Amino acid sequence: MSQLTESAVRDLLRIVIVGHVDHGKSTLVGRLLHDTNSLPAGKVEEIRAMSERRGMPFEYAFLMDALQAERDQGITIDTSQIWFNSSKRNYVIIDAPGHKEFLKNMITGAAQSDAALLIIDAVEGVREQSRRHGYLLHLLGIRQVAVAINKMDLVDYSEARFQEISHEYRAYLTELGVTPTFILPVSAREGENIVTRSGRMSWYDGPSIVGALDCFVSEPLSSNLPLRLPVQDVYKFDERRIIAGRIESGRISVGDEILFSPSNKTAKVKSIEAWPSSQPVRTQAAAGYSVGITLDEQIFAERGDTISHVINAPIETDVFRARLFWLGHEPMTLGKMYKLKLNTTEAQVQLQKIEAVIDTGDLSSAAATRVERNQVAEVVLRARRMLALDAFNDKPATGRFVLVDEYDIAGGGIISMDGYADQRQLITKRSTNIVQVDQGVSDDERARMNGHRGGVIWFTGLSGAGKSTLSMELERRLFEKGYSVYVLDGDNIRFGLNANLGFSPEDRSENIRRVGEVAALFARAGMIALTAFISPYRSDRDRARAAMPERFHEVYVKADVQTCETRDPKGLYQKARRGEIKEFTGVSAPYEEPEAAELVIDTAAHSIEECMAQLIAYIEANFSLRAADRKPG
Amino acid sequence: MNHLDQLENKSVYILREAFNRLDKIGMLWSLGKDSNVMIWLAKKAFLGHVPFPVIHVDTGKKFKEMYEFRDRYVKEWNLTLIRETCPPIEEMDQSLPAAARSAARKTAGLKKVLDKEKFNGLIAGIRRDEQATRAKERVFSPRGLEGQWDFRDQPPEFWDQYKTDYPPGTHLRIHPLLHWTELDIWQYSQRENIPIIPLYLSKGGKRYRSLGDEDITSPVASNAGTIEEIIEELKTTNISERSGRAMDHEAEDAFERLRADGYL
């Protein structure tokens, strides 16, 4: 069987384009495709001919607006997708309609994306849908947002106008608790600042659209979160009884003891099944994989159960708070029953309370007895039975739901448990030796105080690869952005905590083990701990990960030995080559490259500035608190 | 998890969702590269089984190689096959252009299957990158009483929650390959060693990129004689995949009209 190399299959990033109607979303997409040579042969001619038939000027928008009604009315009705490539990776562009009437189609498009490009017309400025879309992006959990101020050609590429709009929109986003990753001036029609930097706006020194997109990262890995595997179905096609489902977060291994919620039965994983059976036997699977498992005993399990490990189980409750958007033709009304769909669970829920309807224009809240189509609201929902769920801010994939009214999906929401208790302890008998000691202050409270979650950023790489340089610079930048952050570096640890350790392999492992534990304590205290150690052995790094499994991010600072040796900031390579240092990593001792680092920073290929942009984007995406964390004003 | 793993696992999720949520489903098997990948994914989803019938809506005008492929793999893959013959072209809407009229026979054949078998879900292997109206599709796409597609008011679809509630008499089309591209299909076929019809490979400087009825499908110029070469070709070409399918090109809205009426 022929094998594809990993590099032959390129990464794909999904980008949604949103913004107010007529601000030029489809035109921008057309221009992106055209300028990156991604259009099929003859497509432009075909559209030119079609525009002439209609007596309309040529519009790139017609590439995406495929429906007759869209072309006749010159508006986008439904979301569409189209592919293009940059030199870095492949992209799917999701074009979402800007017209208020088609909000459900905008949400359909936006919810599938990793990042968003929000377009604002330089002439018209910030409008109703500019704000609403910005709000919804954050409600949907999309944290990477670039704002493009378009039609700069119509305002003579004026810096003042650009600053005026970006100031206004940034103020709106700041109120939501959001920092846009980029705000950039463009002219889609004229192709300015799309693929390459614009010559007409020398006052602007940021990236082009494509440059900005290339800085975004693929969706944050959820395999470090606790295990959640909602049961999708149970198959009995042959002698095997297979429990099927997709891992929404965490990892599952053969031999694991697993808990089914809310039924609260336990069993052990006997096998992870696969077809064709000639493939190597799987013993572990992580988030994103659709698996089929068998158990060591035949307990009753059914669709809607959530599999977790015994510790870090989901919340059990029959009441929860939600922030939701309503898309139904009929308004959502107090006291009415709806069908809730949360992963594979279905349950009847009642709208118990509408705490506020939020005006996405000025973010004010008002009391109401119903939620109209296209409105956003804070509500309390009550189910007829116990549900297993999570708070969206902790575990996005199992903390969101849709509501069905009659036959139609009529709304979607994200769960918050603020003020409501996890009822698991009340209904479950638990073995006492697995209950963790609770801190007086919760992770959530710390995160709210800091504006971000705590975690460990574990830099690993050769001596001279740039770990210290990057971590020190990153600490400075994050600190200036208001983060609670601290670098654990070889020297500051070895002078104190680890003063009794030498450089034998045993002592080096112990050094890393202690650093791992200390970093985890920093992280649990709510800070971002940056560690800069060569940490050449995989098993040491895995042990460090085990101290903080849910928010440990391994960053491989990559540079080959030759490059590092050329830099040799401390003269160590020279000494090692002369034999003055024994067992020097990369020269006379091994460096085990990470197999699955969360992030790879190639310092041989990129400038420090580029590496910083990548790191900061990554940290913001993974640690910064979303708008949804804030309680309604 | 690489890109192909992501595609595969999402499709498996969709197939399992369709199998669980709908009472009676069938999978359309056009014998082309996409529907073969789809059957392969079903075997992955259901761990070696395909627990629903596959449907070949037969225009009687397919290539000989396609019929040979069907007869071989229906056995090898242990499939339950439903074969439905399409009504003659004289019964089609005469206002449609010639090739579109020919394609409309397939829609009519499909309606016959639905009437006979009372399916409430049909799994079809369309992809967003094939054609602009398909790019607007949903994964679970409702069809009216007459099988028609209401593209003006499609249901919202997000967070992998699909429309699985529908009034009696209507049905859903399920599109597990919607998020795949032509290149993905070939890279995956190569990785998984999925059998293909040899017409896709170049013979005498020509090959088929998309297979339909013999009389309205034409080959494209190509020297790609292996899947590896097809993959290389696709990375650089800017000729559209369906350029050899006549019914797409007769009138600006020919394909939209076909699809609104229930064509795939």
Side-chain angles (χ1 to χ4, degrees), chain A residues 1-4 6 8-12 14 37 39-43 50 53-54 63-71 76-83 85 90 95 102 104-105 107-109 111-112 139-141 219 232-235 237-238 240 242 244-246 248 273-276 279 282 286-292 303 325 327 329 339 341-346 373 392 400-402 404 406-414, chain B residues 1-21 39-52 77 127-139 142 149-168 178-181 183-184 186-193 227-228 231-232 234-241 248-249 251-254 256-257:
Chain A
M1 181 173 143
S2 49
Q3 277 298 324
L4 284 169
E6 287 293 315
V9 179
R10 285 166 53 109
D11 270 359
L12 180 85
R14 291 169 293 255
N37 284 324
L39 285 175
K43 194 76 194 175
M50 193 202 72
R53 269 203 306 282
R54 283 188 162 74
L63 283 173
M64 306 288 275
D65 294 342
L67 303 173
Q68 286 290 310
E70 293 179 318
R71 292 175 172 182
T76 307
I77 293 176
D78 211 333
T79 180
S80 188
Q81 302 198 1
I82 200 155
W83 282 253
N85 310 328
N90 296 350
D95 183 34
F102 307 120
K104 69 179 164 55
N105 298 337
I107 284 170
T108 299
Q112 304 171 46
L139 210 158
L140 289 167
E219 56 186 294
Q232 198 177 3
D233 212 336
V234 179
Y235 301 136
F237 299 124
D238 46 40
R240 299 170 294 179
I242 295 171
R246 183 176 58 194
E248 297 294 344
E273 299 291 314
W275 182 89
Q279 290 183 345
R282 288 173 84 174
Y289 283 90
S290 287
V291 295
R303 181 183 167 95
F325 46 87
L327 306 168
H329 291 284
K339 180 161 85 179
K341 291 170 85 172
L342 188 161
N343 300 119
T344 60
T345 300
E346 290 190 358
R373 182 175 168 87
F392 179 80
R400 60 196 185 188
F401 61 89
V402 301
V404 176
E406 303 266 314
Y407 296 114
D408 301 317
I409 290 178
I414 61 178
Chain B
M1 205 175 195
N2 78 11
H3 176 56
L4 293 180
D5 296 328
Q6 285 175 10
L7 295 170
E8 176 190 272
N9 282 282
K10 185 175 167 89
S11 299
V12 164
Y13 186 83
I14 293 165
L15 287 168
R16 286 173 170 178
E17 207 60 7
F19 180 64
N20 180 281
R21 293 286 85 187
I39 289 179
W40 192 265
L41 290 166
K43 290 181 85 83
K44 291 227 170 188
F46 307 108
L47 289 312
H49 303 268
V50 180
F52 37 72
W77 284 340
R127 306 189 325 266
R128 287 202 178 98
D129 75 325
E130 284 175 285
Q131 206 278 332
T133 63
R134 285 181 178 171
K136 305 239 173 201
E137 266 287 4
R138 298 292 189 262
V139 177
W149 178 45
D150 184 4
F151 52 79
R152 283 182 191 81
D153 188 19
Q154 297 202 74
E157 190 169 79
F158 52 94
W159 298 339
D160 296 327
Q161 292 292 355
Y162 302 114
K163 181 178 174 73
T164 51
D165 302 274
Y166 49 92
L178 202 56
H179 55 298
W180 293 56
T181 64
L183 180 61
D184 295 331
W186 284 116
Q187 291 194 322
Y188 187 74
S189 299
Q190 183 196 35
R191 183 179 93 170
E192 300 284 321
N193 243 344
I227 295 185
E228 287 77 0
I231 290 168
E232 279 316 303
L234 291 180
K235 283 179 176 167
T236 54
T237 187
N238 59 359
I239 310 281
S240 98
E241 180 181 7
D248 294 22
H249 310 292
E252 185 189 324
D253 63 344
E256 179 178 326
R257 283 177 62 197

Side-chain angles (χ1 to χ4, degrees), chain A residues 224-226 312 391 393-395 418 436-455 520-527 547-552 623 625 629:
Chain A
N224 290 336
L225 295 172
N312 287 322
N393 292 327
D394 297 333
K395 298 171 194 74
D418 282 353
Q436 289 181 312
V437 178
D438 285 327
Q439 292 285 140
V441 180
S442 74
D443 280 0
D444 274 354
E445 287 172 286
R446 286 180 212 279
R448 266 199 298 279
M449 169 81 82
N450 291 334
H452 64 83
R453 292 178 183 288
L521 289 174
F522 273 78
R524 289 192 202 289
M527 303 181 73
M548 186 70 199
E550 62 273 33
R551 282 193 298 280
F552 181 95
F623 292 94
L625 276 203
D629 280 351

Side-chain angles (χ1 to χ4, degrees), chain A residues 229 231 241 243 256-269 293 295-302 305-311 313-314 316 388 424 427-430:
Chain A
L229 168 51
V231 175
R241 184 163 169 277
I243 295 177
D256 281 1
E257 184 171 23
I258 52 174
L259 172 69
F260 290 75
S261 298
S263 65
N264 290 307
K265 296 187 181 80
T266 57
K268 276 199 170 131
V269 179
I293 61 170
L295 303 177
D296 67 336
E297 56 182 309
Q298 300 307 327
I299 62 165
F300 178 73
E302 61 182 338
D305 285 345
T306 299
I307 294 173
S308 69
H309 289 122
V310 177
I311 53 165
E316 287 185 347
R424 176 177 291 276
I427 54 174
T428 320
K429 258 198 273 173
R430 295 280 295 275

Side-chain angles (χ1 to χ4, degrees), chain A residues 320-374:
Chain A
F320 60 91
R321 293 160 55 110
R323 178 177 295 212
L324 60 76
F325 46 87
W326 192 249
L327 306 168
H329 291 284
E330 297 295 318
M332 187 188 198
T333 46
L334 213 52
K336 192 175 166 184
M337 302 293 296
Y338 296 93
K339 180 161 85 179
L340 168 106
K341 291 170 85 172
L342 188 161
N343 300 119
T344 60
T345 300
E346 290 190 358
Q348 290 294 314
V349 294
Q350 187 174 36
L351 178 58
Q352 178 174 302
K353 190 175 175 198
I354 300 173
E355 297 198 318
V357 167
I358 299 159
D359 182 327
T360 55
D362 60 10
L363 302 181
S364 62
S365 331
T369 53
R370 52 193 226 168
V371 184
E372 304 287 345
R373 182 175 168 87
N374 298 339

